[in-house]
Amino acid sequence: MTVPRSTLRFQLHKGFTLDDAAAQVDYLASLGVSHAYASPITTATSGSTHGYDVVDYARVNPELGGEEALRRFVEKLREHEMGLIVDIVPNHMGVGGAENAWWQDILEWGRHAAHAHFFDVDWHSPDPALRGKVLAPFLGAAYGEELQAGKIKLAYRADEGRFVIEYYSNVFPVCPVDYPAVMQEAPELAQRFSGLTTQPADQPRAADARTALATIAQTEDGQAAIEAILAAHAPDTPTGRERLHRLLERQHYRLAWWRTAADEVNWRRFFDVSTLGGVRVERPEVFEASHALIFRLFTEGLIDGVRVDHVDGLAEPREYSQRLRARLEELPAQRPEALRHGNGRTYFVVEKILARGEPLRRDWQVDGTTGYDFMNDVGALLHDPDGAQPLAALWAELTGRSSSFAEEALIARRKILAENLAAELDRVTRALHRFARDAQTTRDFTFTSIRRVVTELVVHFPVYRIYPVGGVRSAEDERYFSQALDAARASLARADHVVLEQVAQWLGGKLPDEAPASQPERSERSERTECPRDRTADRNRDRNHAQAPAGQNPPPTSGSQRRAAQTLFSQLTSPVAAKAVEDTACYRYGRLISRNEVGADPGEFSLSVEQFHDGNQERFTAFPHAMLCTATHDHKRGEDVRARIAALSQIPDEWAATLKQWSTLNTPLRRGPEGGHGETITNGDWSPGPAAEAMLYQTLVGCWPLTLDPDDAAGVHELAERVAQWQLKALREAKLRTSWFAPDEAYENACKDFLFDIVAPQRREGFLRELSAFVGRIGPLGAMNSLQQTLLRLTSPGVPDLYQGTELWDFSLVDPDNRRPVDYDQRREWLADIEAKGPPSEQLANWRDGRVKLAIVRRALALRKHCESLFAQGDYIPLKVEGEQAKHVIAYARHAGSAYAVTIATRLAAPLLDATSDVPLVDPHKWGDTSIVLPEALHSRALFDWLSQNAPKAEGARLLIRDALAVMPVALLVEEGVPKA
């Protein structure tokens, strides 16, 4: 397997194309990166800034430069002996607008479309208005309003001979079966479409008829006929509007207000995003169609590995991963000889959120995760456990909200399930209710009682999802399911316990042999209410469409129904966890927002050195090539923002006093309920409110640039604009006084006004000066956290990943702020300067500009290249630290053969740092007798610091910290004889 030494993530879009990435390859090579790591390269919705709204799996995105640009990029990489990892999106596609041909196909032909089974659509909705249709929740207001306003129109596409419904940028095809009804004003044209059905055999005839129509419509008479048809459906007259409405009612979709999706959508979405439709990649034909381009690019030698986005959204993550692994192992033999992998394995990682103690399943045959678990570990390590209780008490005192994140998360889960994912909850419940009706012992379990039970299981589910094997929960699954089961049992009335126990059995418990009372194919009532033209021979197979095992299409047995229900349940717990925890509770709870990150549990405040070592050793044993990240395109705060906010955990009393002082200082600037000054304010009913204000101060402390002067009005205003963008998203995601669903613009504007007031130029001698001074005081602590985090990522077991631009200080906020353009020219210039001046220690005096971080990244990556096997396969050895300041040090060694590399970092240094210190470095004498116990093999060897000119000498088994960290807060010790970079 070709394992990357390190990766650097590029966010590609039309403003930063593949050619732009190619222009930075020489910089990446100088930095020491072995592989570029690109966001999705398949064609996405026009203007997409992230690429996850794929509309065409078969083409490299033209906005990125297309396949030719990809080839130029790879050619440049190969010149520097570098590879390319690409992000792939098998779970969902963009379905808004009109660019997705697969989605347009099912809108046009319904269940008989060639791609009807490519998306996870419930064609048998219990709602008669949606039976055989898909909900199209893309209207900006209620259907009747938009129709009356003339915003929904019939249009004709002359180049295609096609009638469509237009609504702004959205296009909805008219089924050709309805063309005769549409073309009543031109019966001679309509004849070509008479007798058509939706059956696949008739669809080619429809295409031929459209081609003929396109030709005829170019004539003068044809144009007149088309104009008459469109006029007859014009929405500006009652007759035309009614006729247009009747036409819409006959289509395979129901146009609806976007707000209806939460309650009525009958197809799987990505989380609650109604412009992203779930793809049924578990079906072999869908798997091949959605991966064909990636497989071809791999065999041609253009890509070297894949990162799979949101693997938990898939029906069967295990089967998908195993299938992808098998295909990736088949392909290397077809690659150019120089690029063939030695053992046939291809680098393959998955985006997976893991709870504390939750393992990534080894039978998936992946190389690990994309690194959120490491980001969580190292982030928690930066926090002082002694700050947990006083900061939680401070949060509760200031805001009146719970000091427990778990309580906040539970409230958020209930809200998300009830308001954002109600349709998905109903779908799970229906699947279980159908199953209940098939057995005599459960036929009286009502839909409502099952819904109550499922609700409690979901809101108490401690991980993203389970992964039953053969329909049965594994021991690992059972560990988490039982937690949810116990909590649900405690929450539900006793009368529901029998239903709960049965549902638990259906969701992966071992069932006793039981013959169902009956298994009707479909009820007669269902048959009568279906649209006649949608009745097909495969109706019974469709009933159980909701996730058959890969490569199989089982008959509708109780086993397949049970597996379908399990899949639907897992595809509900996953988005509930993401939306409730990451996108709601994390914006409500603010003990320290440095722990409110993707993949983290804010309720877990800190991690001990021993726990961090345990995590690294587990990773080394199970997934030694997993990615290690501390910043991503999804992070809520940049890695150095989090590192600085984490420093507050070391000074909880000082932070509490500061926070209260600032709140008092800015009290006159608060807005009342109506958003104005001078209003009567009671019970915290003011803008932004105590919780939002406290989180705002943390954000300002975290992202204030180290070089920003309060007198720089333009610089402060630019920062305020960025923070305002974060604030708006944070307020809406919290879903308390405003939301994306129902924005309260008056409140939002009042919050923005408060922000700009407190940082206005006239406050430069007040709050601004205090803010800047406070950041100046804790800046060295934050920097030490940052450098510790950086070195641990670069030397721990796994593949270190750099997110674009984070080689310097990363004071970014949530997207789109964390996807701003990167100044590569500056980084290239500074890298050359760093190389000329020597080791990173030469940059410490000017640490505020971030060059010391860049220097550490470059030097550590150089060592990984010089000693590749040491870091790729070397053992991980925690080192014991002894002495009076032992808790302020973390140390470990990497060992392979006779080679060693020792990582040492300062941690939780507030008690050791002089109040007047302007450099992130502990005075050596303050370390006292603190020392590291070295492995016996290093007792007599000469060591030097790869990051400085320092050469600390061990005294037998002990290496004194005052010597090892004399000139830098971190050290990377190797033996003499390793070539210096």
mmCIF file of all heavy atoms in Angstrom, residues 417 425 428-429 432 449-459 492 500 503 507 569 572:
data_model
loop_
_atom_site.group_PDB
_atom_site.id
_atom_site.type_symbol
_atom_site.label_atom_id
_atom_site.label_comp_id
_atom_site.label_asym_id
_atom_site.label_seq_id
_atom_site.Cartn_x
_atom_site.Cartn_y
_atom_site.Cartn_z
ATOM 1 N N LEU A 417 -35.736 16.132 16.297
ATOM 2 C CA LEU A 417 -36.572 15.014 15.879
ATOM 3 C C LEU A 417 -38.008 15.459 15.625
ATOM 4 O O LEU A 417 -38.663 15.009 14.685
ATOM 5 C CB LEU A 417 -36.535 13.928 16.960
ATOM 6 C CG LEU A 417 -36.924 12.511 16.546
ATOM 7 C CD1 LEU A 417 -36.122 12.047 15.346
ATOM 8 C CD2 LEU A 417 -36.724 11.562 17.711
ATOM 9 N N LEU A 425 -38.639 10.299 11.041
ATOM 10 C CA LEU A 425 -39.135 9.532 12.182
ATOM 11 C C LEU A 425 -40.375 8.743 11.784
ATOM 12 O O LEU A 425 -40.524 7.559 12.141
ATOM 13 C CB LEU A 425 -39.443 10.478 13.343
ATOM 14 C CG LEU A 425 -40.131 9.873 14.566
ATOM 15 C CD1 LEU A 425 -39.279 8.781 15.190
ATOM 16 C CD2 LEU A 425 -40.452 10.957 15.594
ATOM 17 N N VAL A 428 -39.417 5.584 9.719
ATOM 18 C CA VAL A 428 -38.962 4.474 10.549
ATOM 19 C C VAL A 428 -40.151 3.812 11.235
ATOM 20 O O VAL A 428 -40.275 2.578 11.261
ATOM 21 C CB VAL A 428 -37.953 4.967 11.613
ATOM 22 C CG1 VAL A 428 -37.558 3.819 12.541
ATOM 23 C CG2 VAL A 428 -36.712 5.547 10.956
ATOM 24 N N THR A 429 -41.027 4.643 11.774
ATOM 25 C CA THR A 429 -42.183 4.114 12.489
ATOM 26 C C THR A 429 -43.069 3.288 11.567
ATOM 27 O O THR A 429 -43.562 2.215 11.950
ATOM 28 C CB THR A 429 -42.986 5.270 13.110
ATOM 29 O OG1 THR A 429 -42.121 6.061 13.931
ATOM 30 C CG2 THR A 429 -44.124 4.737 13.949
ATOM 31 N N LEU A 432 -41.644 -0.194 11.009
ATOM 32 C CA LEU A 432 -41.849 -1.069 12.162
ATOM 33 C C LEU A 432 -43.322 -1.421 12.333
ATOM 34 O O LEU A 432 -43.670 -2.547 12.726
ATOM 35 C CB LEU A 432 -41.311 -0.386 13.422
ATOM 36 C CG LEU A 432 -39.788 -0.227 13.481
ATOM 37 C CD1 LEU A 432 -39.396 0.724 14.603
ATOM 38 C CD2 LEU A 432 -39.109 -1.578 13.653
ATOM 39 N N SER A 449 -47.853 4.427 19.381
ATOM 40 C CA SER A 449 -47.040 3.861 20.459
ATOM 41 C C SER A 449 -45.640 3.509 19.954
ATOM 42 O O SER A 449 -44.647 3.720 20.658
ATOM 43 C CB SER A 449 -47.716 2.626 21.053
ATOM 44 O OG SER A 449 -47.766 1.560 20.121
ATOM 45 N N ILE A 450 -45.553 2.998 18.733
ATOM 46 C CA ILE A 450 -44.234 2.695 18.161
ATOM 47 C C ILE A 450 -43.446 3.980 17.953
ATOM 48 O O ILE A 450 -42.238 4.043 18.205
ATOM 49 C CB ILE A 450 -44.389 1.911 16.843
ATOM 50 C CG1 ILE A 450 -44.982 0.530 17.121
ATOM 51 C CG2 ILE A 450 -43.046 1.776 16.136
ATOM 52 C CD1 ILE A 450 -45.323 -0.267 15.873
ATOM 53 N N ARG A 451 -44.146 5.029 17.532
ATOM 54 C CA ARG A 451 -43.469 6.312 17.325
ATOM 55 C C ARG A 451 -42.913 6.854 18.644
ATOM 56 O O ARG A 451 -41.799 7.391 18.684
ATOM 57 C CB ARG A 451 -44.439 7.320 16.704
ATOM 58 C CG ARG A 451 -43.782 8.555 16.100
ATOM 59 C CD ARG A 451 -44.838 9.439 15.449
ATOM 60 N NE ARG A 451 -44.257 10.440 14.574
ATOM 61 C CZ ARG A 451 -43.845 11.641 14.969
ATOM 62 N NH1 ARG A 451 -43.931 11.979 16.250
ATOM 63 N NH2 ARG A 451 -43.340 12.496 14.105
ATOM 64 N N ARG A 452 -43.661 6.710 19.724
ATOM 65 C CA ARG A 452 -43.158 7.157 21.032
ATOM 66 C C ARG A 452 -41.894 6.400 21.408
ATOM 67 O O ARG A 452 -40.925 6.975 21.899
ATOM 68 C CB ARG A 452 -44.228 6.940 22.109
ATOM 69 C CG ARG A 452 -45.346 7.950 22.119
ATOM 70 C CD ARG A 452 -46.127 7.897 23.431
ATOM 71 N NE ARG A 452 -46.725 6.595 23.693
ATOM 72 C CZ ARG A 452 -47.954 6.247 23.319
ATOM 73 N NH1 ARG A 452 -48.722 7.107 22.649
ATOM 74 N NH2 ARG A 452 -48.440 5.047 23.616
ATOM 75 N N VAL A 453 -41.921 5.114 21.188
ATOM 76 C CA VAL A 453 -40.786 4.268 21.543
ATOM 77 C C VAL A 453 -39.558 4.618 20.710
ATOM 78 O O VAL A 453 -38.449 4.765 21.235
ATOM 79 C CB VAL A 453 -41.170 2.784 21.355
ATOM 80 C CG1 VAL A 453 -39.936 1.910 21.277
ATOM 81 C CG2 VAL A 453 -42.080 2.338 22.485
ATOM 82 N N VAL A 454 -39.739 4.751 19.414
ATOM 83 C CA VAL A 454 -38.616 5.084 18.539
ATOM 84 C C VAL A 454 -38.045 6.445 18.911
ATOM 85 O O VAL A 454 -36.818 6.645 18.925
ATOM 86 C CB VAL A 454 -39.051 5.058 17.056
ATOM 87 C CG1 VAL A 454 -37.942 5.583 16.156
ATOM 88 C CG2 VAL A 454 -39.438 3.645 16.645
ATOM 89 N N THR A 455 -38.911 7.387 19.222
ATOM 90 C CA THR A 455 -38.452 8.710 19.624
ATOM 91 C C THR A 455 -37.497 8.627 20.803
ATOM 92 O O THR A 455 -36.414 9.230 20.800
ATOM 93 C CB THR A 455 -39.645 9.609 19.987
ATOM 94 O OG1 THR A 455 -40.447 9.813 18.826
ATOM 95 C CG2 THR A 455 -39.173 10.951 20.529
ATOM 96 N N GLU A 456 -37.877 7.871 21.831
ATOM 97 C CA GLU A 456 -37.041 7.790 23.029
ATOM 98 C C GLU A 456 -35.727 7.061 22.749
ATOM 99 O O GLU A 456 -34.675 7.430 23.285
ATOM 100 C CB GLU A 456 -37.801 7.109 24.169
ATOM 101 C CG GLU A 456 -38.983 7.911 24.680
ATOM 102 C CD GLU A 456 -38.579 9.332 25.068
ATOM 103 O OE1 GLU A 456 -37.582 9.499 25.802
ATOM 104 O OE2 GLU A 456 -39.267 10.274 24.630
ATOM 105 N N LEU A 457 -35.756 6.046 21.917
ATOM 106 C CA LEU A 457 -34.515 5.356 21.559
ATOM 107 C C LEU A 457 -33.566 6.307 20.830
ATOM 108 O O LEU A 457 -32.362 6.343 21.099
ATOM 109 C CB LEU A 457 -34.814 4.141 20.683
ATOM 110 C CG LEU A 457 -35.359 2.905 21.381
ATOM 111 C CD1 LEU A 457 -35.767 1.862 20.356
ATOM 112 C CD2 LEU A 457 -34.328 2.313 22.346
ATOM 113 N N VAL A 458 -34.117 7.075 19.906
ATOM 114 C CA VAL A 458 -33.280 7.963 19.100
ATOM 115 C C VAL A 458 -32.700 9.097 19.938
ATOM 116 O O VAL A 458 -31.513 9.406 19.840
ATOM 117 C CB VAL A 458 -34.083 8.518 17.907
ATOM 118 C CG1 VAL A 458 -33.275 9.592 17.177
ATOM 119 C CG2 VAL A 458 -34.441 7.395 16.939
ATOM 120 N N VAL A 459 -33.514 9.723 20.768
ATOM 121 C CA VAL A 459 -33.010 10.881 21.506
ATOM 122 C C VAL A 459 -31.975 10.475 22.544
ATOM 123 O O VAL A 459 -31.133 11.302 22.942
ATOM 124 C CB VAL A 459 -34.137 11.683 22.189
ATOM 125 C CG1 VAL A 459 -35.107 12.236 21.159
ATOM 126 C CG2 VAL A 459 -34.855 10.871 23.249
ATOM 127 N N LEU A 492 -40.159 6.305 29.279
ATOM 128 C CA LEU A 492 -41.485 5.937 28.801
ATOM 129 C C LEU A 492 -42.385 5.459 29.941
ATOM 130 O O LEU A 492 -41.920 4.957 30.967
ATOM 131 C CB LEU A 492 -41.372 4.815 27.768
ATOM 132 C CG LEU A 492 -40.778 5.193 26.407
ATOM 133 C CD1 LEU A 492 -40.363 3.945 25.643
ATOM 134 C CD2 LEU A 492 -41.786 6.013 25.594
ATOM 135 N N LEU A 500 -41.587 -1.239 23.535
ATOM 136 C CA LEU A 500 -40.162 -0.939 23.509
ATOM 137 C C LEU A 500 -39.329 -2.208 23.372
ATOM 138 O O LEU A 500 -38.392 -2.267 22.545
ATOM 139 C CB LEU A 500 -39.768 -0.184 24.782
ATOM 140 C CG LEU A 500 -38.269 0.095 24.984
ATOM 141 C CD1 LEU A 500 -37.744 1.039 23.904
ATOM 142 C CD2 LEU A 500 -38.014 0.681 26.373
ATOM 143 N N VAL A 503 -39.694 -3.583 19.820
ATOM 144 C CA VAL A 503 -38.964 -2.767 18.847
ATOM 145 C C VAL A 503 -37.466 -3.017 18.960
ATOM 146 O O VAL A 503 -36.754 -3.110 17.955
ATOM 147 C CB VAL A 503 -39.291 -1.271 19.059
ATOM 148 C CG1 VAL A 503 -38.315 -0.382 18.299
ATOM 149 C CG2 VAL A 503 -40.718 -0.974 18.613
ATOM 150 N N LEU A 507 -35.006 -4.281 15.954
ATOM 151 C CA LEU A 507 -33.855 -3.473 15.541
ATOM 152 C C LEU A 507 -32.526 -4.171 15.805
ATOM 153 O O LEU A 507 -31.530 -3.539 16.111
ATOM 154 C CB LEU A 507 -33.889 -2.118 16.262
ATOM 155 C CG LEU A 507 -35.044 -1.198 15.869
ATOM 156 C CD1 LEU A 507 -35.026 0.073 16.685
ATOM 157 C CD2 LEU A 507 -34.990 -0.872 14.374
ATOM 158 N N PHE A 569 -33.665 3.115 10.783
ATOM 159 C CA PHE A 569 -33.384 3.577 12.136
ATOM 160 C C PHE A 569 -31.973 4.167 12.207
ATOM 161 O O PHE A 569 -31.765 5.250 12.766
ATOM 162 C CB PHE A 569 -33.528 2.414 13.111
ATOM 163 C CG PHE A 569 -33.234 2.774 14.548
ATOM 164 C CD1 PHE A 569 -34.157 3.474 15.302
ATOM 165 C CD2 PHE A 569 -32.038 2.403 15.143
ATOM 166 C CE1 PHE A 569 -33.890 3.802 16.637
ATOM 167 C CE2 PHE A 569 -31.760 2.720 16.453
ATOM 168 C CZ PHE A 569 -32.693 3.424 17.207
ATOM 169 N N LEU A 572 -31.560 7.447 10.737
ATOM 170 C CA LEU A 572 -32.195 8.505 11.519
ATOM 171 C C LEU A 572 -31.325 8.907 12.710
ATOM 172 O O LEU A 572 -31.159 10.098 12.979
ATOM 173 C CB LEU A 572 -33.572 8.047 12.015
ATOM 174 C CG LEU A 572 -34.323 9.028 12.922
ATOM 175 C CD1 LEU A 572 -34.554 10.368 12.209
ATOM 176 C CD2 LEU A 572 -35.641 8.433 13.392
#
